[in-house]
C-alpha cells in the first residue's frame, strides 16, 4: 500500500509490487562497465544504503570555463555511464555539464536492479549531485531521464522542490497503469493503490518540463509519451517530436532539433 510522504503530501507509490510479482526480472538488462573515465570526467560512488553504492560520472571537459548548469542524468535500460563518453561534449556546446548516474547492478554499481531501487535511489543521487554542484561554486540543477531513466527523473522532479529548475524527458513513458496491465498484475493487492499514487505523484510536479520523443519510436510509442504529457499539470511544459527517429537513434537523426530544444528550454527557465 502506498504511504503519504512528508514532502508536501506527495504519496510514496509501492513500486516494489513489481518486484514481489516477479516482473522486474524482465525489466532490466545490466552490463558491467569497468573502464576508467576519459579526460575531463571523474567517477563517483553514491551510497544509496549501507554497503551499496551506485556509480556516476561527472563530465566537465578540460577547459577552464566556470561551472555550468548541471544536468543530473538517468540513462536508459541496457546503458552504462561510458556510453555517454563523447556525447557529453554536445551538452557542453549548449552550456551544460553532465552527471550520469547508473542503476544498481549496472556498470560499476553494487546491488541488484529492482523497480523499487530504480526509483528509491533517485533522491540520494540528487543529494549527491546538489552537493557536488555546491562544491563547484553553485549553479542551477536540471534533471533528465532517458527511456527507463524517466522513472527516477520523475521522482526527483516531484520531490526536489525548487532545488531542481527543470525536468527533461527523452524517449520516455512512465505509465504505472500500463506496467500493471503488461505484467498481468491488475488483481494483485496494492495494484490500484500503486497506479493512483504514481499518477498523483506525476500530477504534483510543478517545475517546467520538456519531452523529446522519436515519432517512429516502436519501443516506447509516442502515444505513451503523450499520455505522460497529459498527466503532467505543470504550467510550463513542452513536447518536441523528432520526425523519423526511433528509440535508440533519436540523438543522431534529430541531433540539431534535440539540442536546440534543450538549449531553448534551459534558457527559458533561467531567463
Amino acid at each position: 500500500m502506498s504511504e503519504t510522504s512528508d514532502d508536501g503530501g506527495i504519496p510514496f507509490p509501492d513500486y516494489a509490487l513489481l518486484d514481489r510479482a516477479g516482473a522486474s526480472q524482465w525489466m532490466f538488462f545490466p552490463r558491467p562497465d569497468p573502464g576508467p573515465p576519459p579526460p575531463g570526467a571523474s567517477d563517483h560512488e553514491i551510497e544509496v544504503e549501507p554497503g551499496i553504492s551506485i556509480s556516476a560520472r561527472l563530465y566537465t571537459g578540460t577547459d577552464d570555463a566556470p561551472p555550468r548548469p548541471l544536468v543530473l542524468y538517468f540513462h536508459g535500460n541496457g546503458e552504462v555511464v561510458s556510453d555517454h563518453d563523447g556525447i557529453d561534449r554536445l551538452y557542453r556546446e549548449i552550456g551544460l555539464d553532465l552527471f550520469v548516474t547508473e542503476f544498481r547492478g549496472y556498470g560499476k554499481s553494487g546491488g541488484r536492479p529492482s523497480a523499487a531501487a530504480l526509483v528509491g535511489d533517485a533522491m540520494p543521487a540528487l543529494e549527491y549531485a546538489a552537493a557536488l554542484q555546491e562544491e563547484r561554486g553553485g549553479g542551477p540543477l536540471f534533471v533528465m531521464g532517458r527511456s527507463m531513466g524517466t522513472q527516477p527523473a520523475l521522482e526527483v522532479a516531484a520531490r526536489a522542490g525548487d532545488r531542481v529548475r527543470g525536468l527533461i524527458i527523452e524517449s520516455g513513458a512512465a505509465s504505472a497503469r500500463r506496467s500493471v496491465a503488461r505484467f498481468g498484475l491488475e488483481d494483485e493487492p496494492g495494484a490500484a493503490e500503486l497506479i493512483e499514487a504514481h499518477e498523483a505523484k506525476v500530477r504534483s510536479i510543478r517545475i517546467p518540463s520538456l519531452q523529446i520523443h522519436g515519432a517512429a519510436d516502436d519501443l516506447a510509442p509516442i502515444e505513451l509519451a503523450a499520455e505522460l504529457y497529459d498527466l503532467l499539470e505543470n504550467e510550463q511544459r513542452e513536447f518536441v517530436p523528432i520526425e523519423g527517429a526511433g528509440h535508440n537513434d533519436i540523438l543522431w537523426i534529430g541531433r540539431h532539433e534535440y539540442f536546440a530544444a534543450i538549449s531553448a528550454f534551459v534558457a527559458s527557465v533561467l531567463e
Side-chain angles (χ1 to χ4, degrees):
M1 180 175 293
S2 302
E3 299 177 354
T4 300
S5 76
D6 57 3
D7 50 357
I10 302 169
F12 285 116
D14 183 15
Y15 297 106
L17 169 67
L18 300 175
D19 302 316
R20 294 192 297 271
S24 63
Q25 65 181 310
W26 307 105
M27 292 171 58
F28 298 98
F29 299 93
R31 75 178 206 263
D33 184 24
S42 57
D43 283 352
H44 299 255
E45 290 189 356
I46 304 169
E47 187 175 59
V48 289
E49 66 176 71
I52 298 179
S53 295
I54 58 173
S55 180
R57 183 165 291 175
L58 174 66
Y59 297 93
T60 59
T62 56
D63 57 37
D64 294 325
R68 291 165 276 254
L70 185 64
V71 178
L72 170 61
Y73 184 104
F74 297 98
H75 61 65
N77 201 0
E79 298 172 353
V80 291
V81 293
S82 65
D83 292 333
H84 303 81
D85 295 353
I87 295 174
D88 60 294
R89 69 175 178 81
L90 302 176
Y91 286 85
R92 282 198 303 282
E93 287 174 359
I94 60 170
L96 301 171
D97 285 335
L98 201 58
F99 185 60
V100 182
T101 66
E102 288 181 326
F103 311 141
R104 296 193 195 197
Y106 284 64
K108 300 175 184 176
S109 299
R112 296 172 60 88
S114 71
L118 174 71
V119 176
D121 293 345
M123 289 305 290
L126 168 68
E127 299 297 343
Y128 191 99
L132 191 63
Q133 186 70 334
E134 190 66 25
E135 290 176 8
R136 283 160 28 97
L141 271 172
F142 289 80
V143 63
M144 180 171 181
R146 163 173 153 75
S147 190
M148 184 174 280
T150 297
Q151 291 284 10
L154 289 173
E155 180 76 1
V156 168
R159 302 194 188 281
D162 59 7
R163 290 186 294 167
V164 171
R165 301 293 301 275
L167 164 68
I168 304 168
I169 298 296
E170 186 248 286
S171 303
S175 172
R177 189 177 302 275
R178 288 183 179 269
S179 295
V180 166
R182 176 186 176 190
F183 295 111
L185 305 177
E186 295 95 332
D187 297 328
E188 288 288 327
E193 290 87 348
L194 166 60
I195 293 169
E196 180 180 358
H198 173 79
E199 293 183 352
K201 183 183 78 173
V202 174
R203 287 194 299 269
S204 77
I205 293 172
R206 291 293 176 264
I207 61 174
S209 64
L210 166 68
Q211 289 175 256
I212 306 173
H213 210 95
D217 192 330
D218 57 358
L219 289 180
I222 196 168
E223 293 79 12
L224 302 187
E227 288 182 9
L228 174 58
Y229 179 86
D230 290 340
L231 191 59
L232 288 163
E233 294 183 352
N234 49 341
E235 291 185 7
Q236 182 181 342
R237 63 187 190 275
E238 183 179 1
F239 193 102
V240 177
I242 306 293
E243 294 300 324
H247 194 74
N248 293 317
D249 60 6
I250 183 172
L251 187 61
W252 309 116
I253 287 180
R255 173 178 164 181
H256 175 75
E257 296 167 86
Y258 188 106
F259 285 101
I262 294 176
S263 180
F265 173 71
V266 170
S268 72
V269 170
L270 298 182
E271 66 182 7

